[in-house]
Amino acid sequence: MDVALTAVGATHRGRVRSQNQDQYWIATQPWGVVVAVADGIGGYQGGAEASALAVAVLARELGAAQAMGPQRLRRAVEAANRTIFEVGRGRPELNGMGTTLTVCWVAASGVWVAHVGDSRAYRVGAEGLERLTTDHSVAAEMERSGTLSPEEAEQHPQRHVLTRALGPFPAVEVEMTHWPWRPGDRLLLCSDGLFNAVPERRIHELLRRFRGQAGVDALIQAALDEGGQDNVTVILVEDQSPVEVPDGR
Ligand code: MN
């Protein structure tokens, strides 16, 4: 199967915060497309530093790689964790710094997702959005264990408290999943500044109307229209290869 992948992204500071601690990264390689979203946590300096380090390590580890595989992807995320941890050690102003990191490697053989934190990857389907990641937050873990209903989790005071992040500890457990990629598929990566502000139904509606950069811009504008409380980052990966129509006339 041939795929013709395009990836576009954008990030915005929002309307309230003085600084954008989100980062994104896009690389197109012979072995596919790699895209990443990172959302920094841990104070004014630490959050920005951690998300910037995460994408810098990804670029170093994967930007010039001759070949790709799930283990290489996982190791790149683990390397980013170690770097953030080491840089933060012994610098009190960076104490507790960390970041989310969601990385997708898209190729004809499928999508590999490496994920830590509460940024998200979605498949954009005809009927709606399909989540490819779980949120590593206190409220989401309580929802999964049945302690909270989805509605309670959405209102929970600890919904933004992460149970996993890159950087605070010397080792991290990376969520690794693999999904098929079908001709015409689309993939959305975003920070919580999008899905906390804009309902998934509305996100899907906008992505049915807009493709590529126009889709990215429409989603960021929708978050800003809802008040832009948080930094917001969006990446779209789309398969431009023509969908084969059976020749059965
Ligand atoms: Mn955020």
Side-chain angles (χ1 to χ4, degrees):
M1 177 178 71
D2 262 347
V3 292
L5 299 170
T6 59
V8 287
T11 187
H12 196 289
R13 182 166 54 90
R15 298 209 192 281
V16 174
R17 305 241 165 129
S18 61
Q19 191 190 33
N20 191 352
Q21 302 194 337
D22 282 7
Q23 293 273 346
Y24 72 99
W25 184 64
I26 295 173
T28 304
Q29 304 281 8
W31 39 260
V33 167
V34 199
V35 291
V37 167
D39 179 349
I41 57 167
Y44 187 79
Q45 281 199 44
E49 176 92 15
S51 57
L53 280 170
V55 298
V57 172
L58 283 185
R60 185 190 75 201
E61 296 290 316
L62 303 177
Q66 298 297 306
M68 188 59 171
Q71 288 315 314
R72 187 185 287 265
L73 180 62
R74 179 202 293 271
R75 280 199 302 269
V77 175
E78 290 169 347
N81 180 74
R82 269 194 311 279
T83 298
I84 298 165
F85 179 76
E86 294 295 336
V87 169
R89 212 155 54 166
R91 286 175 63 185
E93 78 277 15
L94 299 178
N95 210 354
M97 76 165 166
T99 184
T100 74
L101 183 62
T102 302
V103 195
C104 293
W105 163 39
V106 189
S109 55
V111 186
W112 274 100
V113 184
H115 166 70
V116 175
D118 69 350
S119 300
R120 287 181 186 169
Y122 292 97
R123 181 204 302 280
V124 184
E127 303 302 318
L129 300 178
E130 179 190 357
R131 266 187 228 179
L132 308 187
T133 48
T134 58
D135 296 344
H136 300 144
S137 68
V138 171
E141 308 273 6
M142 286 170 83
E143 182 186 335
R144 278 196 290 281
S145 70
T147 312
L148 293 180
S149 71
E151 296 72 30
E152 287 167 334
E154 228 168 81
Q155 304 298 327
H156 196 274
Q158 292 197 304
R159 66 188 179 281
H160 300 305
V161 178
L162 298 184
T163 52
R164 285 192 225 179
L166 233 56
F169 301 103
V172 68
E173 190 188 340
V174 183
E175 177 180 301
M176 296 288 300
T177 52
H178 183 249
W179 305 82
W181 183 264
R182 308 181 204 95
D185 261 0
R186 302 165 79 197
L187 187 72
L188 165 68
L189 268 74
C190 58
S191 61
D192 64 343
L194 179 69
F195 59 78
N196 283 333
V198 185
E200 288 180 357
R201 205 180 45 250
R202 175 76 180 141
I203 294 172
H204 186 248
E205 201 177 281
L206 288 166
L207 289 178
R208 285 173 68 119
R209 282 170 55 197
F210 301 104
R211 298 186 66 85
Q213 194 67 53
V216 169
D217 294 346
L219 294 182
I220 287 184
Q221 189 57 49
L224 296 176
D225 290 346
E226 293 298 327
Q229 298 290 324
D230 194 4
N231 310 145
V232 53
T233 303
V234 174
I235 295 176
L236 269 181
V237 182
E238 295 176 334
D239 184 359
Q240 309 288 349
S241 53
V243 177
E244 279 174 42
V245 179
D247 192 20
R249 283 163 295 183

